[in-house]
Amino acid sequence: MTSPAPEAPRPHRARSVALLTAVSALSAISPLIALPLITRAAGPTGFAEIAIGQALGTLAATIITFGWAVRGPVEAARSNHPSRVFRASILVRGANSVVVLPLVALVAAIASHADDHALAVVSALAFSLQGLSLSWYAVGIGRPLLSLVFDALPRIVLNLAGALAALLTGIPLVYPLVLLVGTLAAFLTSTWLIGLREQFSARAALTDAGNAYRRGWRTALSAGLLTFSETAPLSALGVATSPAAVGFAPFDRVLKYGYIGVYMVTGSFQGWVASADGAAGLRRMRRAVGVHALLALGLGGAFALVVPWATPIALGPGFELSAPTALFGGVALAAMTLATALGMCVVLPSGRDGAYLASVCVGAVLIVPAVLIGAAAAGVAGAAAGVATVQLASLAALSVAATPVLRGR
């Protein structure tokens, strides 16, 4: 079968970055809009179950994605056949789902504190399916409308509909069930329209998927370890039956929504950075890091100052966070924001996958002991301090890897 003709490349202009960033912001705020409804429908104990499931599901989603969210935009931006890249990702992520979904359900049942474990298990499965998102592909080819139609809008509708249904029925389990069914439907629809409707070679798709496994294991491992370092704190406290687990859950969720927003915004820059090389590429890297430095200051300061008084208002009684806890959260979010820009917009596009993996290992090794020791010493605030310490260490490691690139060496 002859190779398909190269697809027309799409220019990656600042306008595309701005639109993709706006769409990513919509995706990021969708869970936050629904959060007050969820907490009132589930209460502190039920919300802790959902949070445990979400933490585990986020890690599982990263394993399912197998690094496509990190390297996918670069490959799609540089490929003459981006739809072929998308088809390879479908096969890889589909195969991974068959293995990962039963495992994450089992781990969620073990980490759950409820008698029936259903809320944690279904939440874990629902958030695992976010690994099937196509937002990375939209970034790579510079098409914000794809991300809006198949990612941002479904997330907003599903989160609001599921949370409202849970509140009205008084059954918290309805929320993750709506997310589970709706996310799967959006994936199947987008997969058919974008990747499977046109004529293609099944043998070529299988070959591309096999090559993706061989070439992408280092990036996939990095992404998995990075997500582990960001989702492990609450899961570790839950498995260790720490008394700080319930109080840590609202802090963990608000911080993670900040993380998700940062990843989506940073991802919007990847295609733009990767589509240029030489001096132009270096200028784009520096601009991306500069924008994220300002974003880090804004997000970190907002978290530290706003979260202590806004959390109980938004989430309801029983979800208070102390000022020290919020301060550590602000430090963690600011460090994570800048580290993400260095990793995804500098280190990986420059081909330094090994250096990126080594940097990510720092956080993965330190996070569980840091959080458990911190929680034992000072409860929720101590656990938050452990998270902040690890994020600063990860930032330092990524700075070492990125500095030579930014200096043009």
Side-chain angles (χ1 to χ4, degrees):
M1 186 173 180
T2 59
S3 300
E7 300 168 27
R10 295 184 62 88
H12 287 265
R13 301 188 179 96
R15 179 175 177 270
S16 296
V17 176
L19 289 175
L20 284 163
T21 301
V23 172
S24 297
L26 284 177
S27 296
I29 65 173
S30 58
L32 286 174
I33 294 173
L35 196 57
L37 300 176
I38 299 167
T39 55
R40 286 165 173 80
T45 302
F47 180 70
E49 290 290 300
I50 294 175
I52 288 173
Q54 185 175 2
L56 293 170
T58 301
L59 177 58
T62 303
I63 298 173
I64 289 172
T65 304
F66 200 73
W68 286 103
V70 177
R71 75 177 186 280
V74 177
E75 291 194 16
R78 294 174 177 174
S79 174
N80 291 326
H81 305 283
S83 61
R84 185 169 173 173
V85 175
F86 182 70
R87 281 190 289 271
S89 81
I90 294 170
L91 291 176
V92 170
R93 293 180 294 159
N96 291 347
S97 298
V98 173
V99 177
V100 171
L101 292 179
L103 292 177
V104 74
L106 177 61
V107 175
I110 295 173
S112 170
H113 294 164
D115 294 333
D116 61 3
H117 314 305
L119 192 53
V121 170
V122 177
S123 296
L125 292 174
F127 286 100
S128 297
L129 292 184
Q130 291 182 357
L132 303 176
S133 169
L134 57 64
S135 58
W136 63 267
Y137 179 71
V139 168
I141 63 175
R143 293 181 62 183
L145 186 60
L146 277 182
S147 185
L148 177 66
V149 172
F150 293 112
D151 187 70
L153 290 181
R155 285 197 192 205
I156 292 174
V157 172
L158 293 173
N159 272 280
L160 286 176
L164 184 60
L167 183 63
L168 293 177
T169 62
I171 305 174
L173 186 62
V174 172
Y175 170 66
L177 278 175
V178 170
L179 288 183
L180 180 65
V181 175
T183 302
L184 184 59
F187 164 71
L188 293 175
T189 302
S190 63
T191 295
W192 169 253
L193 292 175
I194 298 172
L196 303 182
R197 190 172 55 172
E198 65 182 25
Q199 185 178 9
F200 64 93
S201 168
R203 177 177 294 181
L206 289 171
T207 300
D208 291 342
N211 291 335
Y213 273 118
R214 285 190 293 271
R215 295 195 311 264
W217 69 267
R218 185 180 286 109
T219 304
L221 178 59
S222 299
L225 290 174
L226 182 61
T227 303
F228 170 80
S229 69
E230 294 169 356
T231 58
L234 181 59
S235 302
L237 292 173
V239 172
T241 65
S242 169
V246 173
F248 187 78
F251 165 82
D252 182 78
R253 286 307 86 199
V254 175
L255 183 62
K256 293 305 182 293
Y257 289 136
Y259 286 171
I260 291 170
V262 170
Y263 279 128
M264 290 181 172
V265 171
T266 307
S268 303
F269 285 80
Q270 282 185 284
W272 180 66
V273 170
S275 62
D277 52 19
L282 181 58
R283 284 195 300 270
R284 291 188 178 188
M285 288 180 181
R286 290 170 175 169
R287 289 172 185 171
V289 173
V291 169
H292 281 77
L294 296 175
L295 183 64
L297 290 174
L299 289 177
F303 195 101
L305 297 175
V306 175
V307 164
W309 63 265
T311 301
I313 295 175
L315 305 188
F319 293 95
E320 291 80 9
L321 292 177
S322 68
T325 300
L327 176 60
F328 289 128
V331 172
L333 183 57
M336 177 269 177
T337 301
L338 191 52
T340 302
L342 293 176
M344 295 174 67
C345 296
V346 179
V347 178
L348 286 174
S350 65
R352 303 192 176 197
D353 292 10
Y356 183 75
L357 176 58
S359 301
V360 168
C361 284
V362 173
V365 169
L366 294 178
I367 189 62
V368 171
V371 169
L372 292 180
I373 292 172
V380 175
V387 172
T389 301
V390 172
Q391 288 292 354
L392 288 171
S394 298
L395 173 59
L398 277 166
S399 297
V400 171
T403 297
V405 180
L406 293 174
R407 288 180 176 176
R409 296 177 182 175

